[in-house]
C-alpha cells in the first residue's frame, strides 16, 4: 500500500511533468512507437487477411505462421534483432530492432481479425452480391469489408493492447523512448516508486485505448445489421415469452434475416 501511495505521489509531482523525461513526453513517445508498430502491422496483415478471407486459400498457412509468431519471446527477438542490425551498421540507439520485434507481435491478431471477419460473412450474402452483378472488387469493397470491419477493428484493438504493454522493451535499448524508461531507470537505484508509477501509467493508457477501440468497434457495425439484430432479438424475446416454443421458423425472424442479407449487398 505504501508503494502505491509513493507511486501516485511520484506521478502527481509537478517536477515529473516537465522536461524531455516528463510524463507527457514519455506518453507521446510510447504512443508514437505503438502507433507506428500497429500501422506497419496493418499495412502487412490487412491486405493479406482480406485476400485469404476472400479467396479461402492459404488459411492453414496463415494460422500456422501466426501461431508461430505468437510463440516468439519479444525480448529474445529484440536482442537477436539488435545484434543483427548492429552488424548491418545501425547504431545501438536505433529503433529498427524494437519496431521489428513489436511488428512481429502485432501482425497475428490483425491478420486473424482480417481473414476471420471475411470468413464470418454468410456465403449466401456473397452469392446474392454476385447475383446482382457485382464483380469481385465490388464484393470486397461494398460487402465483405463493411461486414468484416467490426472483427477487423477487434484485431487491431488486440494488437494495440499487446503492443502498448510490450513497448516497454524499447527502453532496453540505449536511451530508448517511452514509458519503459521509468522502469529501467528505476531498477538500478531501487526507485520502486518510479518503477510502479511507470507501470500504472502504462495500465491506465491501455485501459483508455481499450475503451476507445471498444466504442469504435461498435460504431463501425453497419446500421442495417444493427437494426436487424435488434428486430431479431425482440422477435425471439416475444417468441420465448409466449406459450408456443415450437421449432418452426418465425416468419418475422426470417424476414429480418432476409433484410439483413439485402442490406449487406445493396449498392449506393
Amino acid at each position: 500500500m505504501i508503494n502505491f501511495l509513493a507511486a501516485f505521489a511520484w506521478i502527481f509531482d509537478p517536477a515529473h511533468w516537465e522536461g524531455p523525461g516528463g510524463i507527457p513526453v514519455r506518453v507521446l513517445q510510447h504512443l508514437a512507437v505503438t502507433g507506428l508498430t500497429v500501422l506497419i502491422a496493418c499495412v502487412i496483415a490487412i491486405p493479406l487477411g482480406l485476400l485469404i478471407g476472400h479467396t479461402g486459400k492459404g488459411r492453414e498457412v496463415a494460422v500456422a505462421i501466426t501461431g508461430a509468431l505468437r510463440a516468439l519471446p519479444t525480448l529474445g527477438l529484440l536482442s537477436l534483432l539488435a545484434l543483427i542490425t548492429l552488424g548491418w551498421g545501425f547504431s545501438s540507439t536505433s529503433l529498427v530492432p524494437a519496431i521489428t520485434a513489436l511488428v512481429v507481435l502485432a501482425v497475428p491478431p490483425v491478420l486473424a481479425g482480417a481473414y476471420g471477419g471475411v470468413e464470418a460473412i454468410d456465403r449466401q450474402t456473397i452469392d446474392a452480391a454476385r447475383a446482382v452483378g457485382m464483380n469481385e472488387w465490388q464484393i470486397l469493397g461494398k460487402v465483405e469489408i463493411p461486414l468484416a470491419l467490426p472483427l477487423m477493428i477487434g484485431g487491431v484493438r488486440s494488437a494495440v493492447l499487446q503492443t502498448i504493454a510490450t513497448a516497454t522493451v524499447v527502453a532496453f535499448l540505449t536511451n530508448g523512448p517511452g514509458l519503459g524508461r521509468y522502469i529501467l531507470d528505476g531498477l538500478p537505484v531501487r526507485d520502486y516508486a518510479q518503477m510502479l508509477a511507470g507501470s500504472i501509467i502504462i495500465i491506465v493508457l491501455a485501459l483508455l485505448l481499450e475503451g476507445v477501440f471498444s466504442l469504435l468497434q461498435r460504431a463501425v457495425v453497419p446500421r442495417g445489421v444493427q437494426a436487424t439484430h435488434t428486430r431479431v432479438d425482440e422477435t425471439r424475446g416475444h417468441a420465448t415469452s409466449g406459450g408456443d416454443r415450437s421449432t418452426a421458423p418465425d416468419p418475422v425472424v426470417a424476414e429480418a434475416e432476409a433484410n439483413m442479407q439485402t442490406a449487406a449487398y445493396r449498392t449506393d
Side-chain angles (χ1 to χ4, degrees), residues 64-188:
I65 292 176
T66 53
L69 293 179
R70 287 176 188 270
L72 292 176
T74 307
L75 186 56
L77 181 62
L78 174 61
S79 302
L80 175 62
L81 292 173
L83 294 174
I84 293 174
T85 53
L86 283 174
W88 290 346
F90 288 94
S91 67
S92 59
T93 60
S94 173
L95 290 179
V96 172
I99 295 296
T100 305
L102 292 174
V103 167
V104 171
L105 177 70
V107 162
V110 177
L111 181 62
Y115 74 71
V118 176
E119 285 187 342
I121 300 172
D122 191 345
R123 293 298 97 184
Q124 292 181 357
T125 303
I126 307 300
D127 293 339
R130 290 194 176 98
V132 298
M134 286 187 178
N135 59 38
E136 296 303 312
W137 285 109
Q138 289 175 323
I139 292 172
L140 181 64
K142 294 185 177 182
V143 178
E144 291 179 333
I145 290 180
L147 293 179
L149 199 54
L151 283 180
M152 291 170 61
I153 296 295
V156 176
R157 170 183 172 184
S158 178
V160 167
L161 294 178
Q162 291 184 27
T163 303
I164 206 165
T166 315
T168 53
V169 300
V170 176
F172 284 87
L173 300 175
T174 304
N175 295 322
L179 293 168
R181 291 296 328 169
Y182 294 141
I183 300 174
L184 189 64
D185 292 344
L187 185 60

